[in-house]
Every structure is written in C-alpha cells, then in structure tokens.
Amino acid sequence: MPDFRFDYLIVGAGFAGAVMTEQLARRFGKRVLLVDRRPHIGGNAYDHYDEHGILVHKYGPHIFHTNSKEVFDYLSRFTEWRPYEHRVKASVDGKLVPMPINLDTVNLLYGLNLSGAELDEYFASVAERVPAIRTSEDAVVSRVGRDLYEKLFLGYTRKQWGLDPSQLDAAVAARLPVRTNRDDRYFTDAYQAMPRRGFTRMFENMLDHDNITLVLKTDYRDLLRWAPYREVIYTGPIDEFFDYRFGRLPYRSLEFRHETHEKEYFQPAPVVNYPNDRDYTRITEFKYLTGQAHPKTSVVYEYPRSEGDPYYPVPRPQNAEIYRKYQTLAETVPHVHFVGRLATYRYYNMDQIVAQALTTCARLHNCRRAELTNGRALPAYQTSAP
Ligand code: FAD
Ligand code: UDP
C-alpha cells in the first residue's frame, strides 16, 4: 500500500486553492499540501506594503463585493472589514465623468441638464435596435446608443482585450450597469468592503492550520514524484494542465506599472479609466481602497498585453468551444478536480470563486454547501497588527 502523506495536493494558493485548503484541512481534517509557483499566497488578490509602507495590490485593484451573505459570512471568519464603496471616473473629452454611465455622465458629456425621466427618453431615442443581444457591442448600443458606446466602451475594450466589442460576449460589457439616477457606485452589491488588514492577512488566517503544508516558488509538477497524495485540486490554467492538447486557450494578460508620488493624493477618484487615449486602461490609487493615511501615495497603471501571466479568460464563442473540449477531458481524469478562474475558464469575481470552491468541497464530501458555511464560528481570525 502506498503511504499517502497527503490527502490532497492543491495547486494554486489564490482564492480557489485557499478556500479548498481551508475547508479540507479544518473542516474535514484532511492533510493538505498547498503549492504555488509564485513566492506568495493570495494569487491575484495578493497585497503587500511597498517600500514606502503603502498597502498596494501587486496584480491590480481588487475590490470585494458580493450579494451572497453566505460568502461574506464565510470570509468574515478570517478578517474584519472596512466598509468601502468603489467609484470610478472615465477621462473623456477632457472631462472626468462617472462610470458606469449615470445621469451625471450624460449631462456632463453633452452639457445638458436632463432629469432621470428625460434621460430615459434620451436613451430610448438613441438606442439601436438589435435583433438579439449577443456581443458587447450589442449590449451597449442597444441601451445607450452609438455615441456613448464610442466615447466610453469602444476604445477601452479594444485596448483591454485586443478585440472589438463586437467580438466579445455581451456579458463582458454587461458587467457595467446603466443608470438614470445619480448613483455613481461601481457596484450595488449588498456587501461591499475591504479586508481591514488586507487580502494577504486574510489568506494567512485561512491557511494557519497544522494540517496544511505550504510550498511556495514551486511548480506542482516538481512535487509530483516525491509527494504522495490521493487527490489533486488544480486551480491553474486548464490548457496548461493538458499540455495544450487542444491548442492554447487565450488568456488576456496585463503589465502593471507601480509608482509612488510625494503627495497625499494623486487623482480625484480611486480609479480613473482612459477609454480613448493613453496605452494604459486605468490608474488606481490604493489609499482610497484601503483607507490608509500616509503622506505619500502609490498608484498602479494597467497595460493590457497578449503575452504574459494569464489574468483574464476571453469570453467569446470560439474560446468557449475550446474550453468545452478541455472540460470534457477533465471530467475523465480520476482524482483531479478543476476549480477557479483559470481552471474553469470563467470571468469570475472573487466572491464567485469562493462560492465555486465551497460548492466543490461540498460535492467532494456529499454534503450541501450550506452545511460548510453555517453555524460553527471558527477561531482562525486574529487581530494582531499588520
Ligand atoms: P488565481 O488568483 O489566479 O490563483 C491561481 C494560482 O495558481 C496562482 O497564484 C498561480 O501562481 C498558481 N498556479 C498556476 N499554475 C501553477 C502551477 N503549475 N504550479 C503551482 N502553482 C500554480 N475580482 C473581484 O471580485 N473584484 C475585483 O475588483 C477584481 N479585480 C481584478 C483585477 C484584475 C487586474 C484581475 C486580473 C482580476 C480581478 N478580479 C477581481 C478577479 C480575481 O482576481 C479572481 O476572481 C480571483 O483572484 C481568482 O482566484 P483563483 O484562485 O481562481 O485564481
Ligand atoms: N469597460 C469599458 N469602459 C470602461 C470600463 C469597462 O469599455 O470604462 C468594459 C471593458 O470591456 C471591460 C468590461 O467593460 O473589460 C468590464 O469592466 P470591469 O471594470 O468589470 O473589468 P475588470 O475590473 O474585470 O477589469
């Protein structure tokens, strides 16, 4: 009989891997070996104090929001929260206007003074008739017309994805609502908050358990020979797992340029989007997100790239078709479970990944997800200073 030192080998210490690890180790008493090829936990949500002592997100702005009480309560075992409602401005025609589109966006852009009801009529007059809403172009022009589409969506989307909005699923642009009131929040979810001491501290609390062995700076393939395990949870890119057998799945990458400025604030909003000029899509100023007081301020610029670390699955029909082939193959591989944004090729937010990981855990143990998340307050959360 082989000696299985570990019940699970979990590949990737981002949200998907960390939630699975936490539940399997703590809830089910499994011995888990968690491996990540990066030098840190947290995956793309990793944050840290930069050389100036400012808390920054290494891989671009991560703002937590969810409508799921279950997900919020689950994560609350590992962190306190700082209430935070995100706001974004877009730089268009020399003006900074609220994004998503609301009453002020339209009034500012066109020098109008419309009421909400008048804006409804305006949208109705400029909206294009689209027989079926399939693409991101359809989603926007059928709601707000071509001019606002061209001012706010066309350039940004071409830059972000290297594709025209007409080549992307409607769901991409439909992530942004259109409002006829003055609400300028980016999200309207019931729970909007940032982990008070940062995402990484929250992950540290999740993973602080004797059943968990963490190995960083290591590709899981380098562990396969010496680490006996029963099951694998894989959260990396699914095409890579299968050596690109059906071809590469496109993932969009980003290059991040971090800067610190010798002033208290750099820009008048947490995020400023640049749809029509500049090589970058947006600038984020972290102190707004974290609430940190500091005489200096750190920002990050995002430059979309076709090569580099995979950050975004690219939602369009031909990619879904390739993914389906990998998914079908994945279902035939015994003892390996695919979870997370890269492994299931879904443009999911953090809360959706948490829910997906909890669901997978419940499925592995033939129980309902609610059984994992209700009741029992766990002692993982610590209040020590950062
Ligand atoms: P990841 O965080 O990508 O983790 C996967 C991990 O697996 C990585 O750490 C990787 O190093 C590791 N790995 C892969 N292959 C191997 C291997 N062979 N061996 C070892 N390790 C491996 N969501 C929100 O809710 N709100 C936001 O504001 C938000 N902003 C975002 C901004 C940007 C720029 C990006 C890119 C994403 C944003 N997201 C946001 C989405 C969020 O990042 C994801 O939903 C979430 O981090 C996905 O978690 P994951 O565990 O699936 O993947
Ligand atoms: N988008 C846009 N203009 C903007 C903001 C968003 O065209 O000012 C489009 C773009 O295609 C983007 C998508 O809407 O990729 C989703 O935006 P979101 O801010 O949700 O993207 P993320 O934060 O995931 O990068």
Side-chain angles (χ1 to χ4, degrees):
M1 282 285 282
D3 167 25
F4 293 114
R5 254 188 72 204
F6 298 101
D7 298 300
Y8 284 92
L9 168 64
I10 301 196
V11 182
F15 265 99
V19 170
M20 296 291 300
T21 300
E22 188 279 327
Q23 282 289 292
L24 291 167
R26 198 176 308 223
R27 182 83 184 196
F28 295 103
K30 303 295 182 189
R31 291 156 305 169
V32 177
L33 175 60
L34 173 62
V35 58
D36 203 299
R37 56 187 171 197
R38 286 173 168 164
H40 56 73
I41 57 174
N44 286 339
Y46 171 72
D47 55 13
H48 68 110
Y49 287 87
D50 67 11
E51 66 201 85
H52 307 277
I54 300 171
L55 184 60
V56 300
H57 299 181
K58 185 174 165 78
Y59 305 101
H62 278 70
I63 295 115
F64 186 79
H65 57 102
T66 188
N67 278 318
S68 166
K69 180 174 187 314
E70 188 185 15
V71 166
F72 188 73
D73 286 349
Y74 168 72
L75 291 177
S76 303
R77 296 174 185 177
F78 313 107
T79 186
E80 282 178 356
W81 300 95
R82 168 182 180 262
Y84 172 71
E85 291 185 325
H86 191 49
R87 286 179 169 81
V88 174
K89 298 252 196 257
S91 169
V92 180
D93 299 341
K95 297 174 188 144
L96 286 182
V97 300
M99 192 69 182
I101 294 172
N102 72 6
L103 182 59
D104 290 322
T105 312
V106 175
N107 281 337
L108 280 166
L109 278 177
Y110 298 124
L112 298 171
N113 193 19
L114 301 178
S115 66
E118 286 166 340
L119 182 56
D120 263 331
E121 285 168 26
Y122 173 76
F123 284 154
S125 73
V126 293
E128 292 186 10
R129 286 167 68 90
V130 175
I133 295 176
R134 291 209 179 82
T135 70
S136 279
E137 177 179 344
D138 298 340
V140 181
V141 297
S142 66
R143 179 74 179 96
V144 299
R146 193 146 297 264
D147 197 54
L148 286 167
Y149 164 76
E150 286 177 355
K151 281 185 170 14
L152 292 160
F153 283 89
L154 180 60
Y156 189 102
T157 302
R158 281 187 177 154
K159 233 192 299 185
Q160 169 72 6
W161 300 95
L163 294 170
D164 196 87
S166 62
Q167 298 171 293
L168 282 164
D169 288 357
V172 175
R175 285 168 61 90
L176 274 65
V178 173
R179 305 193 183 111
T180 52
N181 58 21
R182 305 191 63 198
D183 186 351
D184 64 347
R185 294 172 303 160
Y186 209 64
F187 311 109
T188 48
D189 300 47
Y191 303 91
Q192 304 187 42
M194 298 292 281
R196 193 172 283 284
R197 290 174 184 76
F199 286 102
T200 303
R201 176 56 73 96
M202 181 179 79
F203 278 91
E204 284 167 2
N205 290 336
M206 291 172 90
L207 300 176
D208 179 18
H209 194 276
D210 287 347
N211 285 354
I212 300 171
T213 303
L214 174 66
V215 181
L216 295 173
K217 291 193 246 178
T218 305
D219 194 294
Y220 81 101
R221 285 166 290 205
D222 299 333
L223 293 180
L224 290 178
R225 251 174 291 123
W226 70 264
Y229 54 86
R230 286 173 202 274
E231 303 275 323
V232 177
I233 309 287
Y234 180 80
T235 76
I238 190 167
D239 56 342
E240 186 182 326
F241 183 89
F242 291 112
D243 292 325
Y244 311 105
R245 191 178 306 188
F246 304 123
R248 280 184 185 266
L249 270 169
Y251 295 93
R252 193 68 172 158
S253 191
L254 292 171
E255 196 179 311
F256 301 101
R257 179 157 64 92
H258 287 267
E259 269 179 3
T260 299
H261 294 266
E262 302 277 336
K263 49 178 157 183
E264 216 177 337
Y265 283 97
F266 175 77
Q267 61 187 21
V271 169
V272 178
N273 287 355
Y274 292 88
N276 304 318
D277 44 14
R278 324 287 170 99
D279 292 338
Y280 44 85
T281 47
R282 59 186 176 190
I283 305 177
T284 300
E285 184 162 5
F286 290 106
K287 279 165 56 183
Y288 287 104
L289 277 52
T290 59
Q292 187 179 359
H294 198 288
K296 298 184 193 177
T297 191
S298 292
V299 300
V300 67
Y301 297 69
E302 292 173 55
Y303 296 84
R305 298 278 184 257
S306 52
E307 301 293 324
D309 278 358
Y311 290 118
Y312 292 83
V314 183
R316 57 192 307 222
Q318 49 269 65
N319 299 348
E321 213 167 284
I322 306 173
Y323 169 67
R324 267 194 294 278
K325 289 188 193 163
Y326 282 114
Q327 187 187 21
T328 305
L329 179 61
E331 281 160 9
T332 68
V333 183
H335 309 297
V336 183
H337 312 275
F338 294 81
V339 193
R341 174 149 146 148
L342 305 174
T344 62
Y345 205 66
R346 288 199 170 83
Y347 188 179
Y348 270 1
N349 293 326
M350 296 181 280
D351 63 320
Q352 295 170 297
I353 297 294
V354 172
Q356 189 193 48
L358 290 170
T359 301
T360 308
C361 245
R363 185 166 45 75
L364 290 176
H365 290 88
N366 290 320
C367 63
R368 287 181 308 113
R369 197 170 85 187
E371 288 174 46
L372 303 183
T373 51
N374 62 16
R376 220 150 68 91
L378 294 172
Y381 167 63
Q382 290 148 20
T383 51
S384 46

